[in-house]
Amino acid sequence: MDRLSNTVRPYAWGSTTAIPALLGTAPTGEPQAEMWMGAHPGAPSRITRPAEGTTPTTGTAPTELPLTDVIAADPEGELGAATVARYGPRLPFLLKLLAAGAPLSLQVHPDLDQAREGYADEEARGVPVDAPHRTYKDANHKPELICALTPFDGLCGFRRPTEAADAMEALGVDSLKPYVDLLRAHPEEAALREVLTAILGADPAEMADTVAEAAAAAERLGGAHAPYARIAHHYPGDPGVLAAMLLNYVQLQPGEALFLGAGVPHAYLDGLGVEIMANSDNVLRCGLTPKHIDVPELLRIVRFEATDPGVLRPEASPSGEERYETPADEFALSRYTLAPGAAPAELTVPTPQILLCTAGTVRVGALDLTPGQSVYVPAAEAVEATGPGTLFRATVAA
């Protein structure tokens, strides 16, 4: 078991205070959007282990190593034979603390077949993997789960076209009437597809005027329209403001979660949460961003169907584990609320784990974790935890 040293990513939408408040550190004034825990090559966690060949008598100082290198040196020893057989010599999930101070981009993720096809196509066409117009960075899908640590706002999945039509019509903006009519005149899939296509394909100058009128009206109306006024404040003139009105607005309370599967459009708006995902960078954006939007590919990937966001609450077990049940294979997320003086929670499993403290002080083996601190546990290593505190466990789904 190894304590992790993790990188905080300073994306522009990040909160300047949420992660520092959890860690008990002073804000820097810069956005601190995501703290990554895992073995993503872009920002792998680091651990400190004795250098290779060190013996008790050599006195060689321990060496800080990227977790990617540790796993590459002994994949089966670190991940377990079953994980390597299924996912190859890599940690298949990435755990994050995510702190949104402004809306993230509207986005959607491909399924596994779509990711493999898209990646192979761009590789065959020689599109550089770091090109700004590159859509598929790898051949993996990216199911993800966000669990709120504070009240957390987001958008998740299409709402019924009639509800979106009502919201747009209430703004009283004449240039939105064609979208309102489409949403009411066609079957669900056709209505959602036609309106999103029209929004993304409209003349940018005309759309900027429409968005400005819609934002002003949303601010006047308040109530259910307030989130769209807030989005427009951060992204003035962006067509994604109107695309956001097609989606379900969701407010999570601490401990509640959302699962984002393939083809489901979504965006996080505000709040601090624990996020876990398959280890992939495949994101197709559909608004609220200056980055490239691949409209034809996006329209192929999106599932144009109204859905219930499906707020998840953890399912308790006699062991004290509270698990967030999802269909994902690459990851499983659990929460332990450890009472003072209670028996230790037995956490040993045959898969690799990352354990993250989010409240109190949790003792994991011989290490004490305070909020925001985490450890990596190789597959099958014996481990137990005591509180008082709250501990999240990320591992590979059984």
Side-chain angles (χ1 to χ4, degrees), residues 104-109 142 144 154-158 247-248 258-261 263-269 275 283-284 286-288:
L104 282 68
S105 62
L106 278 173
Q107 56 188 251
V108 68
H109 305 304
K142 193 183 179 186
E144 62 187 41
L155 303 170
C156 179
F158 288 111
L247 307 186
N248 295 298
L258 287 174
F259 175 73
L260 293 313
V264 177
H266 60 277
Y268 303 144
L269 304 181
E275 185 182 40
V283 175
L284 285 88
C286 44
L288 310 182

Side-chain angles (χ1 to χ4, degrees), residues 9 74 77 107 114 119 128 146 164 166 169 200 232 256 262 264 275 278 281 292-294 299 307 313 321 349-350:
R9 310 306 295 265
D74 183 12
Q107 56 188 251
Q114 291 164 340
Y119 181 77
I146 184 76
D166 290 345
E169 187 173 48
L200 296 180
E256 295 180 334
V264 177
E275 185 182 40
D281 289 324
H292 175 64
I293 297 178
D294 185 344
L299 296 176
T307 58
R313 295 170 182 85
E321 179 185 22
V349 291

Side-chain angles (χ1 to χ4, degrees), residues 146 171 182 217 274 301 380 394:
I146 184 76
L171 296 172
L182 284 171
V274 175
I301 296 301

Side-chain angles (χ1 to χ4, degrees), residues 64-328:
E64 188 175 70
L65 301 168
L67 188 54
T68 44
D69 291 359
V70 173
I71 291 171
D74 183 12
E76 289 199 2
E78 299 292 338
L79 306 177
T83 297
V84 173
R86 186 164 188 179
Y87 300 107
R90 63 186 185 90
L91 189 67
F93 64 83
L94 176 65
L95 185 68
K96 300 179 180 180
L97 282 172
L98 183 147
L104 282 68
S105 62
L106 278 173
Q107 56 188 251
V108 68
H109 305 304
D111 65 27
L112 191 54
D113 288 340
Q114 291 164 340
R116 288 171 174 168
E117 292 168 6
Y119 181 77
D121 173 66
E122 290 188 306
E123 286 289 283
R125 290 190 285 116
V127 181
V129 73
D130 58 352
H133 62 284
R134 173 89 183 216
T135 299
Y136 294 95
K137 307 296 186 183
D138 52 66
N140 200 16
H141 62 167
K142 193 183 179 186
E144 62 187 41
L145 174 82
I146 184 76
C147 176
L149 293 179
T150 66
F152 194 98
D153 294 0
L155 303 170
C156 179
F158 288 111
R159 56 180 169 177
R160 289 192 293 272
T162 53
E163 293 178 357
D166 290 345
M168 286 188 178
E169 187 173 48
L171 296 172
V173 176
D174 289 343
S175 52
L176 291 179
K177 190 175 185 305
Y179 304 143
V180 172
D181 292 343
L182 284 171
L183 289 167
R184 289 195 170 135
H186 295 286
E188 177 179 288
E189 180 179 350
L192 294 169
R193 179 182 291 275
E194 288 187 34
V195 172
L196 183 62
T197 302
I199 289 171
L200 296 180
D203 176 81
E206 293 180 5
M207 184 57 70
D209 290 340
T210 297
V211 172
E213 288 186 58
E219 189 166 7
R220 287 195 306 270
L221 289 171
H225 287 82
Y228 310 110
R230 190 167 80 244
I231 292 169
H233 173 75
H234 291 284
Y235 297 96
D238 193 306
V241 174
L242 301 181
M245 298 186 73
L246 301 175
L247 307 186
N248 295 298
Y249 173 61
V250 185
Q251 294 180 293
L252 300 178
Q253 295 306 309
E256 295 180 334
L258 287 174
F259 175 73
L260 293 313
V264 177
H266 60 277
Y268 303 144
L269 304 181
D270 184 73
L272 176 67
V274 175
E275 185 182 40
I276 189 169
M277 62 187 62
N279 209 344
S280 170
D281 289 324
N282 285 328
V283 175
L284 285 88
R285 295 174 176 84
C286 44
L288 310 182
T289 178
K291 294 183 178 180
H292 175 64
I293 297 178
D294 185 344
V295 176
E297 187 67 8
L298 175 70
L299 296 176
R300 188 177 78 88
I301 296 301
V302 171
R303 294 182 180 176
F304 289 98
E305 58 185 16
T307 58
D308 183 329
V311 174
L312 298 177
R313 295 170 182 85
E315 298 185 11
S317 69
S319 68
E321 179 185 22
E322 299 176 298
R323 181 159 171 157
Y324 294 89
E325 296 294 342
T326 79

